[in-house]
Amino acid sequence: MSKKTKIGILGGGGILNAHAPGYTRLKDICEVIVAEPDSNRHDHIRKLLGDNVEIVGDYTELLEREDVDAVDIILPHYLHITATLAAASAGKPVLTEKVMARNVQECDQMIEACAKAGVSLTVCHDRRYDKDWQALKNVIDSGELGEILFWKLEHNQNVIFPENSWVRSRDNLGGGAIMSCLTHQIDSLRWYGGEVESVTSMSKVEESRMEGESIGAVIARMKSGALALLSINWYTQSHEAPNGLWYEFNHVTGTKGEAYFMSGKGTFVKIHDNQPKVFEYDMRGEGGFAKVETDNSITGHQQCIEEWVKSLRGEKAEIVTDGTDSRKTVEVAEAAYRSEETGKVIHLPIEPLPWK
Ligand SMILES: NC(=O)c1ccc[n+]([C@@H]2O[C@H](COP(=O)([O-])OP(=O)(O)OC[C@H]3O[C@@H](n4cnc5c(N)ncnc54)[C@H](O)[C@@H]3O)[C@@H](O)[C@H]2O)c1
């Protein structure tokens, strides 16, 4: 058996819950070591990764070690650039959690450093590796929906972080909910429907929760000509409540049919009748949405980690979220902020500016 790949995990907070099973299921081909300065978290890290997992406090120690082959960065957003530049100069390939960085200028520095060092840069945009989200992509790519006219993507969550959390700081998060998590929807929109041509946006800050916006709405015109409406609501309890609504929702309308993904429900498709009918008040006879059956035995995070580890081992891998691609997701979110600041429609590409 060939040598196990050793991954240094930088950070051992909340999202380790999603990454850890990605590594434990690959225990025959890889092992991990974790850098987490907060010793209060060490017991939980051991619960996730086993009693024998090595834990250090300072991630620079991991970067200096020759036995560490690559790093998985699951740190607060403002540290993604610092850790990536340090990893690149230590010659370690990088997987970083979304969002790639706080703005495109930071993304560019990360891309350049990794290219210069000859190491790969991958972003864990887990939705692109999730079987239900992939099922919607397959429906769209089949062309069965005809010309795509409209996209609607939503993210709904009740987000209240403790007073001292980095998420409450605009500087640490890279803005608010749009940069932090609507980037899941922006990234998926680009993956499903191609690149964005222009963006307009408005958002709402709820100061009791965080400095950045808790609510945001983005309207985008796609290069294809389609329109897209994306929203994030970090103030709703709708998806958690009994008889509530949904956490994430992606809906696409084409000239020949439509399809959607809804969290907890799956992916559904409806091809319209060949003979379009004049609108009638009762269209229930039209035929319903059919569920696309998927194998959900592993999560998007687990699949992403599997592909990344395969790529590190020189095996055939399906990496669909490299740094160059994921930078464009950050660009759309940054353009949304510039639209809010200027009250104007922002056309892409945007000029990279330093974080202020
Ligand atoms: N894909 C998803 O659905 C999803 C969900 C949640 C979080 N995330 C992403 O995961 C990343 C981390 O978020 P989180 O929720 O785990 O945050 P968190 O606050 O729970 O964890 C961050 C951890 O980093 C540690 N840390 C801080 N500075 C460090 C340093 N210098 N060296 C090592 N560790 C350090 C902290 O002690 C903390 O344990 C972010 O990029 C976030 O956007 C993704």
Side-chain angles (χ1 to χ4, degrees):
M1 206 201 313
S2 61
K3 175 187 158 290
K4 286 187 183 180
T5 304
K6 192 161 202 163
I7 309 296
I9 304 180
L10 278 48
I15 202 62
L16 186 64
N17 289 301
H19 283 236
Y23 294 110
T24 51
R25 63 184 283 279
L26 300 179
K27 61 182 185 316
D28 292 341
I29 57 166
C30 78
E31 56 192 329
V32 300
I33 162 167
V34 182
E36 170 54 62
D38 182 353
S39 55
N40 292 323
R41 295 188 187 251
H42 291 187
D43 277 351
H44 186 65
I45 294 170
R46 287 192 192 93
K47 258 189 211 129
L48 291 173
L49 289 162
D51 287 339
N52 297 329
V53 66
E54 197 179 343
I55 306 174
V56 300
D58 182 351
Y59 74 71
T60 57
E61 198 185 309
L62 292 193
L63 300 180
E64 284 160 11
R65 279 174 56 160
E66 281 194 9
D67 62 334
V68 172
D69 297 300
V71 295
D72 178 1
I73 298 172
I74 52 172
L75 294 169
H77 300 163
Y78 70 101
L79 291 172
H80 288 190
I81 178 169
T82 321
T84 300
L85 299 193
S89 70
K92 315 283 187 205
V94 171
L95 174 68
T96 182
E97 252 298 338
K98 68 81 205 157
V99 55
M100 182 174 168
R102 298 179 300 177
N103 63 18
V104 284
Q105 195 179 72
E106 291 186 352
C107 294
D108 287 342
Q109 289 175 60
M110 291 160 70
I111 293 166
E112 195 188 328
C114 289
K116 216 166 155 189
V119 296
S120 61
L121 173 58
T122 308
V123 180
C124 187
H125 268 296
D126 58 289
R127 274 52 169 182
R128 290 200 190 197
Y129 299 89
D130 179 283
K131 298 288 186 273
D132 276 323
W133 293 60
Q134 287 177 344
L136 185 58
K137 167 97 172 133
N138 292 340
V139 170
I140 293 156
D141 288 353
S142 73
E144 297 265 324
L145 303 181
E147 183 196 347
I148 303 302
L149 305 174
F150 186 54
W151 302 92
K152 188 174 185 203
L153 293 93
E154 292 183 12
H155 190 116
N156 295 312
Q157 235 178 329
N158 182 26
V159 176
I160 311 175
F161 282 93
E163 288 290 340
N164 61 354
S165 168
W166 63 273
V167 177
R168 283 183 175 250
S169 151
R170 196 189 282 271
D171 279 342
N172 291 350
L173 195 61
I178 292 176
M179 185 60 83
S180 185
C181 273
L182 192 62
T183 38
H184 281 306
Q185 280 59 45
I186 293 169
D187 189 67
S188 302
L189 172 69
R190 293 185 40 251
W191 179 50
Y192 289 147
E195 296 306 335
V196 168
E197 191 268 324
S198 57
V199 166
T200 184
S201 175
M202 290 188 191
S203 62
K204 179 143 184 59
V205 174
E206 178 46 51
E207 279 171 11
S208 64
R209 296 224 168 163
M210 51 196 266
E211 287 174 6
E213 73 285 350
S214 286
I215 294 175
V218 175
I219 301 175
R221 188 175 292 283
M222 310 297 289
K223 284 192 171 159
S224 68
L227 278 191
L229 176 60
L230 302 93
S231 69
I232 185 150
N233 180 351
W234 267 6
Y235 209 88
T236 176
Q237 299 184 13
S238 64
H239 86 278
E240 292 163 343
N243 301 323
L245 298 171
W246 45 83
Y247 165 41
E248 290 179 299
F249 175 60
N250 307 332
H251 179 218
V252 51
T253 306
T255 50
K256 295 186 182 163
E258 54 197 284
Y260 70 88
F261 159 81
M262 190 185 286
S263 303
K265 214 175 151 192
T267 294
F268 296 80
V269 59
K270 178 182 189 306
I271 303 302
H272 297 157
D273 283 353
N274 286 332
Q275 302 293 326
K277 292 188 194 114
V278 174
F279 178 79
E280 289 168 18
Y281 281 100
D282 189 347
M283 303 281 276
R284 280 172 293 184
E286 280 278 283
F289 280 82
K291 189 169 199 305
V292 183
E293 293 305 332
T294 52
D295 167 13
N296 285 313
S297 52
I298 64 168
T299 65
H301 274 106
Q302 290 167 15
Q303 189 67 52
C304 177
I305 285 166
E306 179 174 329
E307 298 303 329
W308 181 59
V309 170
K310 282 196 287 192
S311 77
L312 296 173
R313 294 172 68 79
E315 294 167 17
K316 193 170 172 295
E318 293 275 329
I319 299 286
V320 287
T321 50
D322 68 19
T324 310
D325 189 284
S326 299
R327 175 210 190 269
K328 295 180 189 162
T329 291
V330 173
E331 185 177 28
V332 176
E334 195 176 348
Y337 289 141
R338 291 193 195 175
S339 169
E340 169 97 53
E341 280 162 25
T342 60
K344 292 188 175 146
V345 174
I346 303 296
H347 293 264
L348 273 56
I350 60 170
E351 184 199 349
L353 295 173
W355 180 259
K356 54 176 186 319

